[in-house]
Amino acid sequence: MSLLLSRRDLDFLLYEWLHVETLTKRTRFADHARETFDAALDAAEKIAREQFAPHNKKADQQEPWFDGEHVHLIPEQKVALDAFCAAGFMAAAQDAELGGMQLPHVLEQACHAYFFAANVATSAYVLLTIGNASAVLTHGTPEQIGAFAKPAFDGRFFGTMCLSEPQAGSSLADIRTRAETDGDSAFGPRYRLFGNKMWISAGEHEHAENIVHLVLAKIPGEDGKPIPGVKGISLFIVPKKLIHADGTVGERNDITLAGLNHKMGYRGTTNCLLNFGEGSFTPEGKAGAIGYRIGNAHQGLAYMFHMMNGARIGVGLGATMLGYTGYLHALEYARGRPQGRAATAKDPASAQINIIEHTDVRRMLLAQKSYVEGALALNLYCARLLDEEKTGDDEIARKHATLLLDILTPIAKSWPSQWCLAANDLAIQVHGGYGYTRDYNVEQFYRDNRLNPIHEGTHGIQALDLLGRKVVMQNGAALHALGDIIQHSIRNAATIAHVEVNAFAHELSTRLHTLFDVTKQLHGSGDVARTLANATVYLEAFGHIVMAWIWLEQATIAAQAMASATTEDAAFYHGKLQAARYFQRWELPKVDAQLALLAALDTTTLDMQNNWF
Amino acid sequence: MSLLLSRRDLDFLLYEWLHVETLTKRTRFADHARETFDAALDAAEKIAREQFAPHNKKADQQEPWFDGEHVHLIPEQKVALDAFCAAGFMAAAQDAELGGMQLPHVLEQACHAYFFAANVATSAYVLLTIGNASAVLTHGTPEQIGAFAKPAFDGRFFGTMCLSEPQAGSSLADIRTRAETDGDSAFGPRYRLFGNKMWISAGEHEHAENIVHLVLAKIPGEDGKPIPGVKGISLFIVPKKLIHADGTVGERNDITLAGLNHKMGYRGTTNCLLNFGEGSFTPEGKAGAIGYRIGNAHQGLAYMFHMMNGARIGVGLGATMLGYTGYLHALEYARGRPQGRAATAKDPASAQINIIEHTDVRRMLLAQKSYVEGALALNLYCARLLDEEKTGDDEIARKHATLLLDILTPIAKSWPSQWCLAANDLAIQVHGGYGYTRDYNVEQFYRDNRLNPIHEGTHGIQALDLLGRKVVMQNGAALHALGDIIQHSIRNAATIAHVEVNAFAHELSTRLHTLFDVTKQLHGSGDVARTLANATVYLEAFGHIVMAWIWLEQATIAAQAMASATTEDAAFYHGKLQAARYFQRWELPKVDAQLALLAALDTTTLDMQNNWF
């Protein structure tokens, strides 16, 4: 039994649900077949298991440290990352002409799932790099791509995203890093950057030849002052070491590691405060970090959000896989730990049973299964949308995919961050006291996963994004696109020959209608503060309804596949149906209280006063 | 602003709600007055703040370590514990003739609240000792009390409870430690113990002259074999060092530290695997740990549960105070951290506001307030019941208190362990990325608190205790006693001149009736496995209803006190009312889905099969 990810589940999601084989009919993926997809998954599983998983605990226990000049990391990380790059995973989804495998995104994400499950902290170095290089690829000039994205996809350079500052986290409008013009260059308009960037994951290390920072900064306006708000923000490529015009690596740029952040978990990823332009280095003879502007001035945030949206789905997948591996660890433990007897057992001298036989332990395992398998399905669905956005049959299909991605991104980020952390909590509980010790793995998963509701937009920020922007954008086009898709699933599930799935469809339909009504009520309040006051409750109810849909989809397929299934497959489908049943009966009803609260436009939190605390 | 506990809140609970001053009319507390109560609280606050809090982080970062012979602990712990003992807190609630302050339990617990908030791990040494010595006091002989309990109340000896073994955690019936008769002694029937005890908190240290272990073990039956089940369990006093008949400390007993457990949190408390009778020491010339039986043979579990019930309420208070101090930390941070602007703010150049002004942050603070103040109120209510049990006016009052304590203990243990951990989660979230770092305190509270749903009976064990035992004991006498008390509060709240409190009373009444109906349905299923299948959901719904009652009580008082309140007091009462409102509107409705699931006698978890996972 794999402790990373159930391949049977992955095959179900990819081939029985998302029909990813059909992608091979598209020109971009014409060289692929199920065999090449499977080979990529096999390779990911093998490298994750053999190179990433073994040092997961060690990287936690031997936290990176900074001697004032160098950051020290355990050597196993670089070995693993080199294996990842050597196998071509850095460019898995990229064009063949860039040296990529030209795999669909959904397959790339399925491969990433293995690495996240094995070692989320080591994986972060390369997965951030992929996002970084993809942003350069999308918005950069050919010269920028050649100098900074290509070496990243080749595995030579790693990348970061530098948004936050000590005084500006969620409020990016308040960043102070400034970029002063410094002439032109082979890589576009050149600037000198000055400022401090906080929470920079993978911001310093020696795992790669160079680190390419993508940095948000403000170019002073005509009055010499930074333009207030997000409108003044531009995006810059700021490499740790300068690149010569011929692509070779040159002198150190003016970027200094001010310190490492010491975290509760996710410790294997260095997280840094970086000082730009403080004069510790004087590239080309003077202080100031040299950076190259990407695209137009003052449009940096929009460019960065290309990377950020991918990063948010990546955070969701990381959260999912921490939950998933925790679930498998708990399952293995529960199957092998004898303790106690059945509630009906009379003889105290009878043998103990394995704890998986206790209903409450099964509850905890079933809850985990419903959270982690559901979250993985949602993440892969989003990745499948990325492929549709890129290679969909026509403009309409591609725009439709973009709309769905827009509205599902806050869910794909926040739902796993909340519920797969809850899964990790349950995985500890299944282990009892042992789960609370560092001799087992689950306490680390719990600590690692606690980061996910915070970074790349906190839970509350996702809520404001969903309720304040996504459901109303383009006159509600994204909301209605999603509603239509869910309605389609409901109609389908309502007609199959399976009474329980039919009932599930009906129950989801009721909640979906209420959600639409509530959305209208909230935006009809005429008071933006009141509309947004309970955005987080809205996000959570919305997320549970989306997840119920994801489970309805899985249940529909499982119910239909059961008839002709082998014994082994039948057990698998029974498991899917039971997890769907759990979600229907135990989880979905939770939204009723939330929707009622929202419908009442409750002002309890809005009315609370500072001096009443 | 105290970061440990709001004294205004404590005064409200003790004096305005529980009317603890009236206890001074009872003979046992006749020497006390509000002034002496307040002096005890002042002393506790001062020692907690000055001696316990400053090394809380250090004790986490410099975990105890074992050199093979000695356990090393940071020296600040002993200084703090000495101060605690010197101030008389070890015997705060004990008889004056034992050197105690003869304080009511409710005051003792209020004092403990400060220590838990300041440093839960250091506090554990003395709070376990108080429970240990109280058990000896209740069930031991005068000689046992003199030799083992008295020195503990004097602060010379510390104590532990040794129940679990590596193969027997929740299932105490399966312990293997055996006790062989070894003649008589000044301290009662003597035995030699052989076995391994796991998860022993404070099991080894050099903070005190001696460590008194209370150990569960089995005396072989007439066939030489241990009696199966819990019926074969007896309780023994097994000191680390033997005591001479004159009370002086003698040679080492045959108890060896096999190893320390390395935990996610709560690190300052040593947690040990202890080997009894492995022959490392040979007290009085031979191997075997010398122990003295407490009370009758084979009744050990009942005696131990005297201590265990106290320990469970203690766990609840510890969980509460970790949540409470986390809340105060988050509140202080939110009041001082500028970030972003109001949803209605148009000008991006306007000054940032402190995050407490953001509604979502207020939501997180208000949720924490409702959890931690509610949990503290419940814990103090239980402590007040301990006083009633001991000093109530008559037999009926005392038995009534016992019944209420019986049924409330699983709630007082489990509810804070669940919801004050949730409060710690929110405290991290309020801090954003900073909360995830070890530079701040809240991540430690979260790690520390995660132990509480596990030890002294897991969450699931509390659920079985409540549904399988407490609500049906004595034909439902405890359940009905609690129901009557809650109904009394509801009637009272329904009649005051405050529309919102009236409505709250009505809403609680509805849920209370459903809870009673559901209890009947569950126990009427005729199938014990089905009755108990969803015990955890029952525990959680029951807990939320109890907490709604606790908040209704507080709201009733606050609403009435508002009329004649000073400005400062009015703000406090507004806060109480708003937290009650939060609980009524945001939390209580969560039970509806739970009660519906229970009423349906849902079998989703019961039906799940091992091979379907």
Side-chain angles (χ1 to χ4, degrees):
Chain A
M1 173 180 156
S2 165
L3 290 180
L4 300 181
L5 170 54
S6 156
R7 182 64 174 263
R8 182 67 187 86
D9 184 30
L10 193 57
D11 286 344
F12 172 80
L13 296 174
L14 293 175
Y15 298 115
E16 297 177 60
W17 180 45
L18 296 173
H19 303 295
V20 298
E21 270 181 282
T22 62
L23 289 170
T24 60
K25 292 183 191 142
R26 296 186 181 170
T27 318
R28 182 172 175 80
F29 309 120
D31 287 347
H32 281 288
R34 172 144 182 182
E35 288 68 29
T36 60
F37 291 170
D38 285 348
L41 294 172
D42 291 343
E45 195 275 338
K46 184 175 157 65
I47 297 171
R49 177 168 41 82
E50 293 180 357
Q51 305 286 347
F52 280 66
H55 71 276
N56 190 46
K57 193 186 279 288
K58 185 176 174 186
D60 178 68
Q61 290 175 341
Q62 297 182 23
E63 194 174 25
W65 65 280
F66 181 44
D67 64 12
E69 195 163 344
H70 296 280
V71 170
H72 298 264
L73 294 154
I74 61 167
E76 291 87 341
Q77 274 199 328
K78 183 162 168 52
V79 175
L81 294 167
D82 285 349
F84 179 97
C85 295
F89 283 112
M90 200 71 109
Q94 303 308 319
D95 296 357
E97 67 183 34
L98 263 172
M101 293 189 211
Q102 218 159 301
L103 268 180
H105 280 293
V106 64
L107 261 296
E108 183 194 40
Q109 293 292 308
C111 292
H112 290 178
Y114 278 110
F115 297 105
F116 276 131
N119 191 325
V120 77
T122 296
S123 301
Y125 292 94
V126 279
L127 300 180
L128 275 166
T129 298
I130 293 170
N132 169 298
S134 299
V136 175
L137 192 61
T138 307
H139 302 293
T141 62
E143 293 74 20
Q144 290 173 337
I145 292 168
F148 302 107
K150 182 70 173 67
F153 289 130
D154 292 343
R156 290 175 45 220
F157 294 1
F158 284 1
T160 75
M161 49 200 292
C162 302
L163 292 83
S164 298
E165 300 179 3
Q167 83 295 342
S170 294
S171 183
L172 287 174
D174 294 289
I175 63 167
R176 291 185 199 141
T177 299
R178 70 180 198 283
E180 296 178 356
T181 53
D182 191 39
D184 212 343
S185 79
F187 311 127
R190 203 171 97 159
Y191 290 79
R192 294 276 180 164
L193 277 77
F194 304 88
N196 316 105
K197 288 292 176 180
M198 186 58 163
W199 310 123
I200 310 310
S201 286
E204 182 55 22
H205 57 78
E206 288 166 16
H207 289 331
E209 286 177 48
N210 203 354
I211 302 175
V212 179
H213 302 289
L214 285 183
V215 182
L216 293 182
K218 291 191 171 183
I219 303 167
E222 290 184 2
D223 61 356
K225 290 183 189 165
I227 298 167
V230 295
K231 286 180 185 157
I233 298 175
S234 304
L235 180 62
F236 302 88
I237 296 171
V238 190
K240 176 180 170 183
K241 294 175 189 165
L242 297 182
I243 303 295
H244 300 128
D246 66 357
T248 55
V249 175
E251 69 174 320
R252 278 288 296 263
N253 203 350
D254 189 8
I255 306 169
T256 319
L257 175 64
L260 295 177
N261 294 310
H262 298 286
K263 295 167 290 175
M264 174 164 64
Y266 233 111
R267 294 187 181 186
T269 309
T270 50
N271 187 276
C272 314
L273 174 60
L274 296 179
N275 292 345
F276 290 79
E278 68 170 16
S280 300
F281 298 91
T282 49
E284 302 198 4
K286 66 173 185 173
I290 292 176
Y292 312 98
R293 201 184 72 216
I294 289 188
N296 297 326
H298 311 314
Q299 295 185 21
L301 203 59
Y303 302 141
M304 187 58 112
F305 260 81
H306 178 271
M307 177 172 183
M308 178 57 93
N309 282 326
R312 285 178 174 176
I313 293 172
V315 166
L317 185 60
T320 297
M321 296 317 301
L322 283 166
Y324 208 124
T325 188
Y327 158 61
L328 295 176
H329 279 77
L331 181 57
E332 185 187 53
Y333 183 82
R335 282 178 168 156
R337 167 75 175 172
Q339 193 75 182
R341 288 161 194 81
T344 49
K346 301 281 181 214
D347 180 7
S350 61
Q352 298 202 67
I353 58 177
N354 285 324
I355 61 171
I356 197 168
E357 302 303 329
H358 293 301
T359 312
D360 196 54
V361 173
R362 283 212 296 274
R363 170 187 69 82
M364 293 191 276
L365 293 169
L366 191 54
Q368 288 173 70
K369 181 178 166 77
S370 86
Y371 300 154
V372 306
E373 291 184 7
L376 179 59
L378 175 63
N379 289 130
L380 292 178
Y381 187 88
C382 288
R384 180 72 183 72
L385 287 174
L386 277 174
D387 289 312
E388 208 56 30
E389 190 178 38
K390 209 171 188 174
T391 67
D393 289 337
D394 52 35
E395 178 84 7
I396 294 173
R398 293 192 292 271
K399 283 202 168 166
H400 186 244
T402 302
L403 277 178
L404 289 173
L405 262 178
D406 279 338
I407 197 161
L408 284 174
T409 297
I411 306 300
K413 195 271 178 183
S414 67
W415 200 91
S417 297
Q418 180 174 11
W419 292 99
C420 295
L421 175 59
N424 287 141
D425 179 74
L426 291 170
I428 291 175
Q429 197 69 18
V430 168
H431 283 75
Y434 294 100
Y436 193 65
T437 69
R438 276 127 58 203
D439 296 325
Y440 287 75
N441 294 320
V442 287
E443 67 86 26
Q444 185 187 342
F445 301 148
Y446 180 70
R447 286 187 289 107
D448 287 352
N449 219 349
R450 185 61 188 83
L451 177 59
N452 289 316
I454 299 172
H455 65 165
E456 318 311 355
T458 63
H459 198 65
I461 293 291
Q462 301 303 319
L464 293 175
D465 180 47
L466 179 69
L467 180 59
R469 188 166 12 199
K470 297 299 175 59
V471 301
V472 288
M473 59 182 269
Q474 300 174 38
N475 291 317
L479 179 64
H480 288 288
L482 180 64
D484 290 346
I485 290 272
I486 298 179
Q487 290 285 10
H488 179 81
S489 299
I490 288 171
R491 279 195 300 274
N492 185 26
T495 54
I496 69 165
H498 196 287
V499 177
E500 274 201 276
V501 172
N502 305 153
F504 188 4
H506 177 72
E507 287 184 27
L508 176 57
S509 178
T510 310
R511 270 71 174 216
L512 186 67
H513 280 109
T514 310
L515 178 66
F516 271 72
D517 290 345
V518 160
T519 308
K520 218 175 283 175
Q521 281 168 281
L522 287 169
H523 278 286
S525 83
D527 172 355
V528 65
R530 198 164 177 190
T531 298
L532 297 178
N534 303 326
T536 297
V537 181
Y538 184 82
L539 176 77
E540 294 181 1
F542 199 110
H544 249 46
I545 287 170
V546 165
M547 194 47 63
W549 159 58
I550 291 286
W551 272 112
L552 180 65
E553 283 271 301
Q554 294 185 76
T556 304
I557 293 166
Q560 292 173 300
M562 189 76 85
S564 56
T566 63
T567 310
E568 198 181 333
D569 273 350
F572 173 79
Y573 294 129
H574 273 302
K576 280 289 177 193
L577 280 169
Q578 203 67 6
R581 206 169 278 145
Y582 174 85
F583 207 88
Q584 174 198 351
R585 294 186 187 169
W586 289 62
E587 296 293 335
L588 183 57
K590 290 178 181 172
V591 307
D592 296 342
Q594 295 173 316
L595 293 172
L597 188 77
L598 292 164
L601 287 162
D602 184 83
T603 59
T604 308
T605 55
L606 195 61
D607 296 341
M608 184 67 187
Q609 303 293 312
N610 187 343
N611 69 335
W612 293 358
F613 281 109
Chain B
M1 172 180 155
S2 166
L3 290 181
L4 300 180
L5 170 55
S6 155
R7 182 61 173 266
R8 182 65 188 87
D9 183 30
L10 194 56
D11 285 344
F12 172 80
L13 296 175
L14 293 175
Y15 299 114
E16 296 177 61
W17 180 45
L18 296 173
H19 302 295
V20 299
E21 270 182 283
T22 62
L23 289 171
T24 60
K25 291 182 192 145
R26 296 188 181 169
T27 318
R28 181 173 177 80
F29 310 119
D31 286 348
H32 282 287
R34 171 145 184 181
E35 289 66 30
T36 60
F37 292 169
D38 286 348
L41 294 172
D42 291 344
E45 195 275 337
K46 184 175 157 68
I47 296 171
R49 177 168 41 81
E50 293 180 357
Q51 304 286 347
F52 280 65
H55 71 275
N56 189 47
K57 193 187 281 288
K58 186 177 175 188
D60 178 67
Q61 290 175 341
Q62 297 181 22
E63 195 174 23
W65 64 280
F66 181 44
D67 64 12
E69 195 163 344
H70 296 279
V71 169
H72 297 265
L73 293 155
I74 61 167
E76 291 88 340
Q77 273 198 329
K78 186 165 166 51
V79 175
L81 293 168
D82 286 349
F84 179 97
C85 296
F89 283 112
M90 200 71 108
Q94 303 308 319
D95 295 357
E97 66 182 36
L98 263 171
M101 292 189 211
Q102 217 160 299
L103 268 180
H105 281 292
V106 63
L107 261 297
E108 183 195 39
Q109 294 291 308
C111 292
H112 290 178
Y114 278 111
F115 297 104
F116 277 130
N119 190 325
V120 76
T122 296
S123 301
Y125 292 93
V126 279
L127 300 180
L128 275 165
T129 299
I130 293 170
N132 169 298
S134 299
V136 174
L137 192 61
T138 307
H139 302 291
T141 62
E143 293 74 20
Q144 290 173 336
I145 293 168
F148 302 107
K150 181 71 171 70
F153 289 130
D154 290 345
R156 291 175 45 220
F157 295 180
F158 284 2
T160 76
M161 50 200 291
C162 302
L163 293 82
S164 298
E165 300 179 3
Q167 83 296 342
S170 295
S171 183
L172 287 175
D174 294 289
I175 63 167
R176 291 186 198 140
T177 299
R178 69 179 199 284
E180 297 177 355
T181 52
D182 189 41
D184 211 345
S185 78
F187 310 127
R190 204 172 95 159
Y191 291 78
R192 293 276 179 163
L193 278 78
F194 304 89
N196 316 106
K197 289 292 177 180
M198 186 59 164
W199 311 122
I200 310 310
S201 286
E204 182 55 23
H205 57 78
E206 288 166 16
H207 289 332
E209 285 177 48
N210 203 354
I211 302 175
V212 178
H213 302 289
L214 285 182
V215 182
L216 293 183
K218 290 190 172 184
I219 302 166
E222 289 183 3
D223 61 355
K225 290 181 188 166
I227 298 168
V230 295
K231 286 180 185 157
I233 298 174
S234 303
L235 180 61
F236 302 87
I237 297 170
V238 191
K240 176 181 170 183
K241 294 175 188 163
L242 296 181
I243 303 295
H244 298 127
D246 67 355
T248 55
V249 174
E251 67 175 321
R252 277 290 294 265
N253 203 350
D254 189 6
I255 307 169
T256 321
L257 176 62
L260 295 177
N261 294 309
H262 298 287
K263 295 165 291 175
M264 174 164 64
Y266 233 112
R267 295 190 182 184
T269 309
T270 50
N271 187 276
C272 314
L273 174 60
L274 295 179
N275 292 344
F276 290 78
E278 68 170 18
S280 300
F281 298 91
T282 50
E284 302 199 2
K286 65 173 187 173
I290 291 175
Y292 311 98
R293 201 184 71 215
I294 290 188
N296 297 326
H298 312 314
Q299 295 186 21
L301 203 60
Y303 301 141
M304 187 57 112
F305 261 80
H306 178 271
M307 175 172 185
M308 178 57 92
N309 282 326
R312 285 178 174 176
I313 294 173
V315 166
L317 185 61
T320 297
M321 297 317 300
L322 282 166
Y324 208 123
T325 186
Y327 159 61
L328 295 175
H329 279 78
L331 181 58
E332 185 186 53
Y333 183 82
R335 281 177 169 157
R337 167 75 175 173
Q339 192 75 183
R341 289 160 192 81
T344 48
K346 302 280 183 217
D347 180 6
S350 61
Q352 298 201 67
I353 57 177
N354 285 324
I355 62 171
I356 197 168
E357 302 303 330
H358 293 301
T359 312
D360 196 54
V361 173
R362 283 212 296 274
R363 170 187 69 83
M364 294 191 276
L365 292 169
L366 190 54
Q368 288 173 71
K369 180 177 167 77
S370 85
Y371 300 155
V372 307
E373 291 184 8
L376 180 59
L378 175 62
N379 289 130
L380 292 178
Y381 187 88
C382 288
R384 180 70 182 74
L385 287 175
L386 276 174
D387 289 312
E388 208 57 27
E389 189 178 37
K390 209 171 188 172
T391 67
D393 289 337
D394 52 33
E395 179 83 6
I396 294 174
R398 292 192 293 271
K399 284 202 167 167
H400 187 246
T402 302
L403 277 178
L404 288 173
L405 263 178
D406 280 337
I407 198 161
L408 285 175
T409 297
I411 306 300
K413 194 272 179 184
S414 67
W415 200 90
S417 297
Q418 179 174 11
W419 293 98
C420 295
L421 175 59
N424 287 140
D425 179 75
L426 291 170
I428 291 176
Q429 197 68 18
V430 168
H431 283 73
Y434 294 100
Y436 193 66
T437 69
R438 278 127 57 202
D439 296 326
Y440 287 75
N441 294 319
V442 287
E443 66 86 26
Q444 184 186 343
F445 301 148
Y446 180 68
R447 286 186 290 107
D448 287 352
N449 219 349
R450 184 60 188 83
L451 177 60
N452 288 317
I454 299 173
H455 66 165
E456 318 311 355
T458 63
H459 198 65
I461 293 290
Q462 301 303 320
L464 292 176
D465 180 47
L466 179 69
L467 180 58
R469 191 170 6 203
K470 297 299 177 58
V471 300
V472 286
M473 60 183 269
Q474 299 175 39
N475 290 317
L479 180 64
H480 288 287
L482 180 63
D484 290 347
I485 291 272
I486 298 178
Q487 290 286 10
H488 179 83
S489 299
I490 288 171
R491 280 194 302 273
N492 185 26
T495 54
I496 69 167
H498 196 286
V499 178
E500 274 199 278
V501 173
N502 306 153
F504 188 5
H506 176 71
E507 288 184 27
L508 175 57
S509 177
T510 310
R511 270 71 174 215
L512 185 66
H513 279 109
T514 310
L515 178 67
F516 270 72
D517 290 345
V518 160
T519 308
K520 219 174 283 175
Q521 281 168 280
L522 287 170
H523 279 286
S525 83
D527 172 356
V528 64
R530 199 163 176 190
T531 299
L532 298 178
N534 303 326
T536 297
V537 181
Y538 184 83
L539 175 78
E540 294 180 1
F542 199 109
H544 249 46
I545 287 169
V546 165
M547 194 47 63
W549 159 58
I550 292 286
W551 272 112
L552 180 66
E553 283 271 301
Q554 294 185 75
T556 304
I557 293 166
Q560 292 173 300
M562 190 75 86
S564 57
T566 64
T567 310
E568 197 180 333
D569 273 349
F572 173 79
Y573 294 129
H574 273 301
K576 280 289 177 193
L577 280 169
Q578 201 69 4
R581 205 169 278 147
Y582 173 85
F583 207 88
Q584 173 198 350
R585 295 186 186 168
W586 289 61
E587 296 293 334
L588 183 58
K590 290 179 181 173
V591 307
D592 295 342
Q594 295 173 316
L595 293 172
L597 188 77
L598 292 164
L601 286 161
D602 183 82
T603 59
T604 308
T605 55
L606 195 61
D607 296 341
M608 183 66 186
Q609 304 293 311
N610 186 342
N611 70 334
W612 294 357
F613 281 109

